[in-house]
Amino acid sequence: MNNTTLKKISGLLGLSISTVSRALKNHPDISEKTKQRVTELADSLDYEPNANAIQLRTSKSNLFGLVVPSISNFFYHSFISAVEEESRKNGYALMILQSGDDPAIEILNLKLCRKSRISGLFACISNQTFNFDAYLKMKDLDIPVIFFDKVPELNNCNKICVADEASAAMAANTIILKNKKKVLAIFGNTNLSITKKRLSAFTKTMDGKIDLLVHHANSTTEAEAITLECLQQKPDTIFCMSDEILAGAMKAIQRAGLKIPDDIAVIAISNGFIPKLYFPEITYVETSGDELGRLAFSSMMACLDGSTFTQELTTVSVLVEGGSI
Amino acid sequence: MNNTTLKKISGLLGLSISTVSRALKNHPDISEKTKQRVTELADSLDYEPNANAIQLRTSKSNLFGLVVPSISNFFYHSFISAVEEESRKNGYALMILQSGDDPAIEILNLKLCRKSRISGLFACISNQTFNFDAYLKMKDLDIPVIFFDKVPELNNCNKICVADEASAAMAANTIILKNKKKVLAIFGNTNLSITKKRLSAFTKTMDGKIDLLVHHANSTTEAEAITLECLQQKPDTIFCMSDEILAGAMKAIQRAGLKIPDDIAVIAISNGFIPKLYFPEITYVETSGDELGRLAFSSMMACLDGSTFTQELTTVSVLVEGGSI
DNA sequence: TCGTTTACTGCAACCGTTTGCGGAATTGTT
DNA sequence: AACAATTCCGCAAACGGTTGCAGTAAACGA
């Protein structure tokens, strides 16, 4: 273990630690000559300031935390990638933790974040989270929290969401426009606000114009089973609220040997990866994780700049036509 | 900002900082009574030891770094998930950084790791990395490095790899066993060692027993085009070296309206996610990122326990039967 | 020649924790 | 009652930086 520290440099150069520190930060008090000597030696010794010492002294860390149910999820990839990229560009590191939709682990993860003295947190709550104390504690510690995607129903916090209502309405309108008659609509876990929003906007837009079968699925497998069963009622269209559900529905459709879009039409709200796996590609309303990520990051930076103003942002949604409806 | 520290607790209890510190760690010098008083107060105050201070004092961090070209890749998901899970269970946090296959960013990421004083590094090098100085520097600092998947051709370092040859051979044997006659085999970019290994093992196992069409695709779209074209030569089986390729091949098969496995059989080497998206599910040789991750983690722990013994491990591969062949 | 300014640099405290060592209070031994 | 052995606890230094303040030497003006 061969770390170069300020002390080492100062010893080698016959300067004090403080002078070396200041020289490295280009402080006006230090003469050009000294600065040059210091930086040269520091470079040749591969000096890396100890982030822990800095955080300890200044109580400013360059670490963000990100907690999410699972990084192996279609949608979160792109979100995380975007946040990670922005963080790096701005000199921050990102600590990524996953809860596996287990609230107990989620709490543990938040604890780890606090221990590591992160300076900001991106959080997507798990399906089962009803107690937000751990998040509120973050606020007590002045750690800004940006909720994304699955957000709690709390006031006074920063939320970045996809345009749930608009997306669902857009999908519904597309179905109406295509003159469909009988729709099977599969939504996710009823506890989630995302589900509630999409469901209400969807049904409201439909407004009884079309025969509507609404179901809820908590997983891909459930979605497959539901689809398979409902297929007997011969819907002409299936709407899927998410990628997980779409994957299940598609499997059922393939199993039943139905042809898209002739036998049945499909439309989904999605990130875009899964829909492009099939032929014909599935028509979907895009919810871009990438855009959401950048939005979340800039929101974080605003918080760190001292903005106490909490905001709820949504991204705009776009219809991407495949050939499935 | 309302952090509870040892000092605060000691002040409240009229004890010294050191006593509190020892009480919290169950040190034998401290009486049970005192221990109890201290832990109770600490609990009620939500005391979280400052990880930075600990690292500074003990020079032991609870942080691992993980650098990878992209987390948005089928295979790395499960690997990262596994490492992350194991890390958490063992009290470590994981800092995940992606390079986007850019060596310059890769170097920056490694620098960030050093600054953060990680105690170990998991690394998958980018396609373009030919200079390993930054990695060697890690070794100078006594930071163990576990290379995974794409590993450098260096001696004396820990490498964890997928069993490329064995997987390809297993797929080939399965095809032979099923008595297939004409196989379209699609591989990836010829520059990658992974492609070379899989290709040579596959063809060697086939050993002229079966009519073989070999093609290379650099992307999902290319794979689709190739498949579509080759379908005219009526192969009875398609082998896909990777998930990207499988996705393309499947799209072509759907476009052509072929039925699996009657019209055509499909087998792939995969992580398991994509194959399960279709019905029937695609039979594949599993290259488990999950297992690889756990292997990498235990290898890391061995290093931290002082093992200077470097090893090159490969995972065993398993055939997962869908219904596609 | 003698204050006074200016340009550099160093001292020392501090962030929160760990830990070797020494000291006080308590108990046990003759 | 005197002394040794235990228990229990606190002092202080250290980890690697940052930063307010003070000190020194050179340069300057009068």
Side-chain angles (χ1 to χ4, degrees), chain B residues 185-200:
Chain B
I186 313 180
F187 293 84
N189 187 316
T190 33
N191 290 325
L192 297 177
S193 73
I194 178 178
T195 300
K196 292 176 193 159
K197 286 185 192 171
R198 294 184 181 186
L199 176 57
S200 83

Side-chain angles (χ1 to χ4, degrees), chain B residues 41-230:
Chain B
L41 184 60
D43 279 353
S44 75
L45 255 44
D46 274 319
Y47 169 71
E48 306 274 3
N50 185 321
N52 294 286
I54 294 176
Q55 135 70 19
L56 189 57
R57 174 62 227 248
T58 63
S59 66
K60 280 177 202 271
S61 80
N62 62 328
L63 224 205
F64 287 137
L66 188 153
V67 299
V68 73
S70 163
I71 63 169
S72 304
N73 163 304
F74 310 123
F75 178 74
Y76 296 132
H77 288 311
S78 48
F79 180 89
I80 296 176
S81 284
V83 171
E84 196 272 337
E85 189 183 331
E86 290 293 326
S87 296
R88 182 167 28 68
K89 284 184 182 164
N90 288 273
Y92 285 86
L94 188 64
M95 196 172 74
I96 302 173
L97 272 1
Q98 49 188 343
S99 66
D101 267 323
D102 179 341
I105 294 181
E106 194 177 4
I107 289 174
L108 237 53
N109 285 342
L110 290 176
K111 197 164 187 164
L112 188 55
C113 283
R114 291 200 306 275
K115 271 179 71 163
S116 305
R117 299 296 188 267
I118 58 168
S119 46
L121 176 68
F122 299 93
C124 171
I125 64 177
S126 84
N127 275 334
Q128 315 296 324
T129 305
F130 303 111
N131 181 334
F132 302 107
D133 289 354
Y135 289 104
L136 294 175
K137 203 181 290 175
M138 289 287 175
K139 295 185 94 176
D140 285 350
L141 296 172
D142 282 340
I143 299 175
V145 179
I146 312 284
F147 290 101
F148 66 93
D149 200 43
K150 292 180 194 150
V151 305
E153 292 179 349
L154 289 174
N155 294 323
N156 245 321
C157 56
N158 289 287
K159 306 176 187 176
I160 311 273
C161 298
V162 169
D164 287 307
E165 280 94 351
S167 307
M170 188 176 277
N173 276 322
T174 307
I175 295 172
I176 295 171
L177 217 68
K178 296 281 181 175
N179 223 358
K180 298 299 178 184
K181 302 299 175 201
K182 184 166 186 177
V183 176
L184 164 61
I186 313 180
F187 293 84
N189 187 316
T190 33
N191 290 325
L192 297 177
S193 73
I194 178 178
T195 300
K196 292 176 193 159
K197 286 185 192 171
R198 294 184 181 186
L199 176 57
S200 83
F202 189 84
T203 50
K204 200 168 147 194
T205 309
M206 283 298 192
D207 192 24
K209 290 172 194 150
I210 294 180
D211 196 359
L212 191 57
L213 283 166
V214 171
H215 281 270
H216 291 272
N218 287 314
S219 67
T220 300
T221 353
E222 263 186 61
E224 183 184 355
I226 289 172
T227 308
L228 218 48
E229 203 180 306
C230 294

Side-chain angles (χ1 to χ4, degrees), chain A residues 96-169:
Chain A
I96 301 173
L97 272 2
Q98 49 188 343
S99 67
D101 266 323
D102 179 341
I105 294 181
E106 193 177 5
I107 289 175
L108 236 53
N109 285 342
L110 291 175
K111 197 164 187 167
L112 188 56
C113 284
R114 292 200 306 276
K115 272 179 73 163
S116 304
R117 299 296 189 267
I118 57 167
S119 46
L121 176 69
F122 299 94
C124 171
I125 65 177
S126 86
N127 274 335
Q128 315 297 326
T129 305
F130 305 110
N131 181 333
F132 302 106
D133 289 353
Y135 289 104
L136 295 174
K137 203 180 290 174
M138 289 286 176
K139 295 185 95 176
D140 285 351
L141 296 172
D142 282 341
I143 299 175
V145 179
I146 313 283
F147 290 102
F148 66 92
D149 199 42
K150 292 179 193 153
V151 306
E153 291 179 345
L154 290 174
N155 295 322
N156 244 322
C157 55
N158 289 286
K159 305 176 187 176
I160 310 276
C161 297
V162 296
D164 288 308
E165 280 93 352
S167 307

Side-chain angles (χ1 to χ4, degrees), chain A residues 88-239:
Chain A
R88 184 168 29 69
K89 283 184 183 163
N90 287 272
Y92 284 87
L94 188 64
M95 196 172 74
I96 301 173
L97 272 2
Q98 49 188 343
S99 67
D101 266 323
D102 179 341
I105 294 181
E106 193 177 5
I107 289 175
L108 236 53
N109 285 342
L110 291 175
K111 197 164 187 167
L112 188 56
C113 284
R114 292 200 306 276
K115 272 179 73 163
S116 304
R117 299 296 189 267
I118 57 167
S119 46
L121 176 69
F122 299 94
C124 171
I125 65 177
S126 86
N127 274 335
Q128 315 297 326
T129 305
F130 305 110
N131 181 333
F132 302 106
D133 289 353
Y135 289 104
L136 295 174
K137 203 180 290 174
M138 289 286 176
K139 295 185 95 176
D140 285 351
L141 296 172
D142 282 341
I143 299 175
V145 179
I146 313 283
F147 290 102
F148 66 92
D149 199 42
K150 292 179 193 153
V151 306
E153 291 179 345
L154 290 174
N155 295 322
N156 244 322
C157 55
N158 289 286
K159 305 176 187 176
I160 310 276
C161 297
V162 296
D164 288 308
E165 280 93 352
S167 307
M170 189 177 276
N173 277 322
T174 307
I175 295 172
I176 295 171
L177 218 68
K178 296 281 182 174
N179 222 358
K180 297 299 177 183
K181 303 298 176 204
K182 182 166 186 176
V183 176
L184 164 60
I186 312 180
F187 293 84
N189 188 312
T190 33
N191 291 324
L192 297 177
S193 74
I194 178 179
T195 301
K196 293 177 193 161
K197 286 186 190 168
R198 292 184 182 186
L199 177 57
S200 84
F202 189 84
T203 51
K204 199 169 148 196
T205 309
M206 284 297 189
D207 193 23
K209 289 172 195 149
I210 294 179
D211 195 0
L212 192 57
L213 283 166
V214 172
H215 281 271
H216 292 272
N218 288 313
S219 67
T220 300
T221 353
E222 263 186 60
E224 184 184 353
I226 289 172
T227 308
L228 218 47
E229 202 181 306
C230 293
L231 242 26
Q232 295 172 348
Q233 302 177 45
K234 307 229 179 260
D236 58 12
T237 305
I238 300 184
F239 164 78

